[in-house]
Amino acid sequence: MICDFIKKQTINDKLYYGRTPMVQIDLSFPAMTGHGASSVRFNLYNRQKAARSYNYARIKLYPQAVKQYQFSKSQGYPFNTYELVQNYDLTYCKKPILSLFFDLYEFTGGAHGNTVRTGNTWDLRRGTLITLNELFIRDYDYNKIILKTIEAEARRRQIAGKADYFENLSENLVKFYDEKNFFLTEEGIAIFYPLYTIAPYVTGIQVFIIPYVLFGSNMTIQL
């Protein structure tokens, strides 16, 4: 998606133990230009988010990697460098609303790493993050529409062989539904489920798009 007032920033580093790399760090995050105070808040938020990830790699992952390296060396096993990689994807960019998601991938050995997704939606007029409930008029039961649409789509994917879900799908869709796990797209609201919640790892992060039209006139923002 083209969003010409957003530029990519990166933090790249490699943490060593002696001459052996322990942790590879590659963090990408967005920076905004031309929106005054909103740009300041947006940029500070994302710099701090990246800094927390970097510190996590330095303070927590690095000692773990050194310990694993020493053990592997003593046993004659190969050591695989740990990784912490953050990418982001802009999904909606029509002023005054900006929406995106981050994927933070962590690899600490084993068959595969783990990816944690977070969604952010911004009101550029105020320079603040928008919560899901702020998109709807007061007392409107938007969750009923969302969950009904998600289950119908999940069943379609299951029947078509496009996704393999755990047993008790209906219960899991409700149990692991989290209003924080959303971002906006041109077509509708995207709700996502973290890895391992409703499906095996190989199925990936499951994303469901709920078209705006299903909410009728109950939205507070024209999208």
Side-chain angles (χ1 to χ4, degrees):
M1 173 169 290
I2 297 175
C3 200
D4 56 10
F5 56 89
I6 299 293
K7 306 298 181 184
K8 179 186 287 189
Q9 301 291 313
T10 59
I11 297 175
N12 306 108
D13 199 3
K14 191 174 288 187
L15 308 181
Y16 285 85
Y17 180 71
R19 295 185 178 183
T20 303
M22 294 290 106
V23 185
Q24 176 69 47
I25 305 170
D26 295 294
L27 307 174
S28 298
F29 59 96
M32 182 186 299
T33 59
H35 283 75
S38 291
S39 292
V40 174
R41 295 190 187 99
F42 181 88
N43 294 340
L44 179 61
Y45 175 92
N46 288 296
R47 282 198 304 269
Q48 289 178 338
K49 181 181 179 68
R52 286 194 298 271
S53 294
Y54 181 85
N55 287 333
Y56 168 77
R58 183 175 58 85
I59 295 170
K60 186 171 182 179
L61 291 186
Y62 178 75
Q64 290 179 0
V66 170
K67 185 176 180 180
Q68 182 60 44
Y69 167 73
Q70 292 172 333
F71 175 77
S72 297
K73 188 176 181 181
S74 71
Q75 299 298 313
Y77 300 149
F79 169 76
N80 295 314
T81 302
Y82 284 23
E83 297 177 47
L84 191 67
V85 180
Q86 177 179 278
N87 291 302
Y88 69 91
D89 190 2
L90 294 169
T91 58
Y92 190 93
C93 184
K94 288 185 179 179
K95 297 176 183 179
I97 305 300
L98 176 71
S99 193
L100 66 156
F101 67 81
F102 295 89
D103 279 346
L104 186 65
Y105 171 79
E106 180 179 331
F107 176 76
T108 57
H112 53 72
N114 186 55
T115 299
V116 175
R117 176 168 294 180
T118 54
N120 283 171
T121 298
W122 289 83
D123 181 341
L124 301 182
R125 294 167 299 191
R126 299 179 297 166
T128 57
L129 286 166
I130 298 174
T131 57
L132 186 60
N133 69 296
E134 290 180 284
L135 296 174
F136 301 99
I137 62 174
R138 188 174 181 179
D139 297 326
Y140 174 62
D141 188 6
Y142 55 89
N143 283 324
K144 181 178 179 180
I145 299 294
I146 289 174
L147 287 168
K148 181 179 179 180
T149 306
I150 288 174
E151 179 159 7
E153 174 59 22
R155 296 295 181 189
R156 279 193 289 269
R157 293 179 189 178
Q158 198 171 41
I159 292 170
K162 295 181 178 180
D164 180 24
Y165 296 112
F166 295 139
E167 293 181 4
N168 302 318
L169 176 60
S170 297
E171 292 84 350
N172 287 337
L173 289 173
V174 174
K175 179 180 179 180
F176 296 107
Y177 170 68
D178 189 336
E179 289 198 15
K180 297 191 296 295
N181 293 340
F182 86 97
F183 54 88
L184 303 181
T185 72
E186 295 281 349
E187 297 78 26
I189 299 172
I191 301 294
F192 59 90
Y193 285 81
L195 291 173
Y196 301 110
T197 53
I198 64 171
Y201 178 89
V202 69
T203 305
I205 295 172
Q206 290 293 286
V207 181
F208 301 91
I209 306 297
I210 295 82
Y212 298 123
V213 68
L214 295 182
F215 302 111
S217 59
N218 294 294
M219 298 193 71
T220 58
I221 301 174
Q222 187 66 39
L223 298 167

